[in-house]
Amino acid sequence: MEIDGARIWVTGASAGIGAALARELADRGARVAISARNADQLAEVAGGRMTVVPVDVTDRAATVAAGAAVRAALGGIDVVVANAGTWSGFHVEPWESDRFAEHLQINVMGAVHTFEAVVPQMLAEGRGRLVGVASLAGYRGVPGSEAYNAGKAALISLLESLRGSLAPRGVVVQTVNPGFVTTRMTERNRFPMPFKVEADDAARTIADGIARDRAEIAFPLPMAVLMKAARLVPTRAWTSLTAAMARRGLDGGPGRRAG
Ligand SMILES: NC(=O)c1ccc[n+]([C@@H]2O[C@H](COP(=O)([O-])OP(=O)(O)OC[C@H]3O[C@@H](n4cnc5c(N)ncnc54)[C@H](OP(=O)(O)O)[C@@H]3O)[C@@H](O)[C@H]2O)c1
């Protein structure tokens, strides 16, 4: 697709990958609208050249209204990037149902609400594009990241299903699966993050992948290959591997956060 001139709405764009991607897309000539909860940070990212629509994507009605506000400001929406997300470690003792629910609310339902805000219009027009930012962490379960990995696995599956559903209706669906990226999400991690890339590099890779119509944008390549290989490891061997990680305190998907 042609990014120059496209009307693109990016959620989770007050920081990290979303902020870098919004800037990259604007640099490539897109008309960009950005959302997240922190209005001040959004204004800073926008730098006067993007539409700012603050919203909490866990609020369904507010997110649908935000989509309408973006559509009014840009005159339509060609692409939505559901990028808003959170990460924190999961503890089995005491059991953390609330933390699990929070991950599903932001990382899964947040994307569902964002898509609800744009899909009716895209179906009516017979064109459009949904981009979901999941994670290579969604490929397999690891101890300490139960909530994050389960949510990202759900998002990967949702996007895959939608790709088939919406293709006959002219709507393209793309899945972004990053490995480790330097953002506030990973800054407090306590263990090695192999092949970690900077947010600006991630943004360029994602923008290139969108432009090239790639169904899956998985990066960086060595981490993507490693995680694709991990999917082939038999369950028994995966259990031995991850139990050993947990025993050594190396549990956590894209990095275990303190607390
Ligand atoms: N960093 C990595 O290594 C990595 C790896 C794989 C995938 N990812 C995924 O990439 C995406 C971006 O992550 P990041 O690393 O850039 O993290 P980040 O720096 O923590 O940024 C997260 C963004 O999401 C927004 N957000 C969080 N909860 C929200 C909510 N309820 N409503 C609206 N916006 C919300 C935050 O803004 P406010 O706080 O202002 O709302 C912020 O703009 C996430 O989906 C993450 O899972 C990251």
Side-chain angles (χ1 to χ4, degrees):
M1 69 159 283
E2 185 65 60
I3 286 179
D4 190 5
R7 299 161 297 183
I8 307 181
W9 179 28
V10 184
T11 72
S14 63
I17 296 170
L21 180 62
R23 291 193 188 100
E24 179 68 25
L25 294 169
D27 287 348
R28 295 186 189 202
R31 294 171 56 208
V32 178
I34 54 175
S35 292
R37 293 165 300 188
N38 189 316
D40 291 342
Q41 270 180 250
L42 284 172
E44 204 174 299
V45 172
R49 62 178 181 150
M50 300 173 199
T51 298
V52 170
V53 181
V55 75
D56 181 338
V57 295
T58 65
D59 183 331
R60 178 181 174 187
T63 306
V64 171
V70 170
R71 203 158 28 248
L74 300 184
I77 300 174
D78 302 305
V79 182
V80 64
V81 184
N83 165 78
T86 193
W87 143 259
S88 59
F90 181 85
H91 301 95
V92 293
E93 192 179 40
W95 185 264
E96 295 182 311
S97 291
D98 286 346
R99 192 174 293 232
F100 198 92
E102 181 200 24
H103 276 77
L104 293 195
Q105 274 304 312
I106 299 175
N107 295 353
V108 183
M109 293 313 298
V112 170
H113 298 155
T114 303
F115 295 155
E116 180 180 0
V118 299
V119 164
Q121 174 229 354
M122 289 180 176
L123 291 179
E125 292 178 357
R127 57 181 292 279
R129 182 173 298 247
L130 310 181
V131 181
V133 180
S135 171
L136 291 175
Y139 278 8
R140 286 217 81 153
V142 296
S145 192
E146 283 81 353
Y148 185 79
N149 287 31
K152 291 300 183 180
L155 184 55
I156 288 170
S157 181
L158 167 69
L159 293 164
E160 185 167 63
S161 299
L162 285 175
R163 189 170 301 122
S165 308
L166 299 180
R169 309 288 302 271
V171 177
V172 174
V173 179
Q174 296 177 283
T175 306
V176 180
N177 286 326
F180 296 111
V181 181
T182 306
T183 67
R184 72 184 184 190
M185 189 176 278
T186 51
E187 70 188 1
R188 281 187 278 166
N189 292 347
R190 296 283 182 265
F191 60 85
M193 291 180 278
F195 313 115
K196 185 155 65 78
V197 297
E198 297 302 312
D200 287 345
D201 294 328
R204 273 190 293 276
T205 302
I206 296 168
D208 286 347
I210 293 173
R212 289 176 193 153
D213 300 323
R214 299 216 345 239
E216 185 190 11
I217 304 162
F219 64 93
L221 185 62
M223 195 65 187
V225 169
L226 203 66
M227 290 306 292
K228 282 178 192 292
R231 286 199 292 199
L232 303 175
V233 175
T235 305
R236 186 186 291 260
W238 188 254
T239 305
S240 303
L241 197 70
T242 55
M245 277 170 56
R247 272 185 215 103
R248 292 168 58 204
L250 291 175
D251 43 344
R256 191 171 181 77
R257 229 176 223 186

